[in-house]
Amino acid sequence: MPSHRAIFDQISTQKNLPSLPHILLKLLQACNQDNGGLNRISEIIDKDPALSAKILKLVNSAYFGLSQHIEDIKQAVVLIGTSGVKNVAVCSCIYEAFPKSKGNGVFDLKRFWWHSLRCAFLAKKIAEEVEYSQPDEAFLSGLLHDIGKLVLWVNFGKIYEELLESTKGRPESLLEGETRLGATHCEVAAWLLDRWHLQSVLTDPVLYHHEPQSRVMGALPLVQIVYVANALCQDIDSYEAQGSITAKTILGLDGESLRTFMIQADADASEIARSLDINIDTAQPS
C-alpha cells in the first residue's frame, strides 16, 4: 500500500495541482484581518476585472433582489459583506483553477460542483440555526469538503474513474479504494487546504466528513455541521433519509426545519452558480 507521503509527493510533482490565484490570497488576507477595511477589499477586487464583473453580476442578481442597479465595486462589497465577498471569491477562483471537462467520463463535474455548492449553503444555514459564530467557515468547509476527489481525478484520471464506477453508491468502498491509492479524498482535501494556507479551522471538517457517526458526536461544532450538511446532500434517496436521522441525532434538527433549509440552500446554490458561471447539473441521477 502506498504511503501518504508517496501520494502527496507524486501529486506535488505533477503539473495538475493548481495554486490559488495571487488575487485570492491577498483578498483572503484582507478579509481575515480584524481591521481589514472595506476600502482595501474593494481596491483588491477592483484590480481584477473578471472577479469584479462576477461580484457585480451577483449583487445585481435575484439572489439579492435589489431595486437599484449597482455599478460600483465598493458599494457592492458593502452590500455583500466581508464574509460574502470571501465566499464568492473562493467559489469563483477555485472553480476556475480546476479543469472544466475531460470528456464524458465517470467523474461528473457538473454534479460535483452542484453537490459542493449545496453542501456549502446548507452548512451555512445550519451554522446560523445552531448559532455557530462563523457561518462563513461552515460555507467554505462545505464547499471544499470533496475537493480531494477532484485532485485525485485530475492526477489519476482513468484509474480514479474506474474506482468511482466500481464503487458507485457505496461511499465506504470508495474510501477503501482511495486508501489503496495512497490517501482518501478526505485526507487529500485536508492536505490541499494546508498547502493553500487556508484557515486551519477548515481542515478538520474536511478531514472527518466520512467518519463514523459515533465519532462525530463528540466532535467540534464545525465538524458536526459539515458532517450533517454532507449527509443531507446525497443524491440517493436512502442516504437522504439517513441524513435526516443524522441531523436529528447530532444537532437535534427536525424534518420540517431541515426541509426549509434544503429548499433555500438549493435555490441559493443555483443562483450563485448562475452568477459566477459555474456549470452545474441539478437533475437527480436515474
Side-chain angles (χ1 to χ4, degrees):
M1 182 184 297
S3 68
H4 282 53
R5 177 66 181 271
I7 190 173
F8 294 148
D9 285 348
Q10 181 178 348
I11 293 172
S12 299
T13 55
Q14 295 188 29
K15 296 181 179 179
N16 298 322
L17 186 66
S19 299
L20 290 184
H22 185 62
I23 181 73
L24 179 57
L25 296 174
K26 290 176 65 176
L27 187 59
L28 289 175
Q29 184 179 30
C31 289
N32 291 335
Q33 289 176 345
D34 292 336
N35 59 350
L38 294 179
N39 285 337
R40 175 61 179 152
I41 294 171
S42 302
E43 289 172 2
I44 294 171
I45 295 172
D46 210 28
K47 292 178 181 177
D48 187 290
L51 185 56
S52 296
K54 288 179 178 179
I55 292 287
L56 290 173
K57 185 177 180 181
L58 174 63
V59 81
N60 287 302
S61 71
Y63 181 73
F64 282 91
L66 302 177
S67 58
Q68 58 177 331
H69 188 80
I70 306 299
E71 297 181 356
D72 178 71
I73 282 294
K74 184 175 180 180
Q75 190 177 5
V77 169
V78 170
L79 290 167
I80 294 176
T82 301
S83 63
V85 167
K86 185 198 309 185
N87 295 345
V88 169
V90 172
C91 278
S92 178
C93 290
I94 290 180
Y95 177 73
E96 293 297 332
F98 281 95
K100 304 302 175 290
S101 175
K102 285 178 63 175
N104 297 317
V106 175
F107 194 95
D108 190 336
L109 275 172
K110 294 180 181 180
R111 297 297 304 170
F112 173 85
W113 288 113
W114 172 235
H115 172 75
S116 298
L117 286 170
R118 289 180 77 203
C119 188
F121 277 102
L122 187 54
K124 183 174 184 288
K125 292 184 182 304
I126 291 173
E128 292 169 343
E129 175 68 13
V130 301
E131 299 183 344
Y132 182 70
S133 61
Q134 299 293 332
D136 62 309
E137 293 177 353
F139 179 94
L140 293 176
S141 296
L143 178 72
L144 299 171
H145 76 286
D146 268 347
I147 202 74
K149 288 183 178 180
L150 196 49
V151 174
L152 289 171
W153 172 67
V154 166
N155 284 277
F156 294 98
K158 187 177 180 181
I159 295 174
Y160 193 62
E161 289 200 353
E162 289 174 352
L163 178 59
L164 289 172
E165 181 66 27
S166 65
T167 60
K168 188 178 295 183
R170 292 180 290 122
E172 298 82 4
S173 298
L174 175 61
L175 293 172
E176 291 172 1
E178 291 172 344
T179 299
R180 289 193 293 273
L181 279 178
T184 67
H185 68 272
C186 312
E187 293 165 334
V188 172
W191 169 81
L192 182 62
L193 265 59
D194 182 66
R195 183 183 176 91
W196 278 348
H197 303 294
L198 293 180
Q199 295 161 275
S200 58
V201 70
L202 306 180
T203 304
D204 281 356
V206 168
L207 183 59
Y208 299 127
H209 73 273
H210 277 301
E211 287 292 305
Q213 181 174 304
S214 58
R215 293 192 63 185
V216 178
M217 292 299 296
L220 294 171
L222 187 57
V223 173
Q224 295 181 334
I225 289 166
V226 175
Y227 187 91
V228 167
N230 178 60
L232 289 166
C233 286
Q234 304 306 311
D235 292 322
I236 302 173
D237 289 342
S238 59
Y239 288 152
E240 274 196 20
Q242 183 59 46
S244 297
I245 297 172
T246 298
K248 178 67 174 178
T249 303
I250 295 178
L251 295 176
L253 299 174
D254 61 33
E256 183 177 348
S257 62
L258 285 178
R259 187 61 186 161
T260 301
F261 293 158
M262 293 179 72
I263 291 172
Q264 188 59 57
D266 283 4
D268 290 346
S270 296
E271 188 59 46
I272 288 292
R274 279 193 293 270
S275 297
L276 300 182
D277 298 320
I278 296 175
N279 203 0
I280 59 171
D281 179 6
T282 63
Q284 291 291 329
S286 58

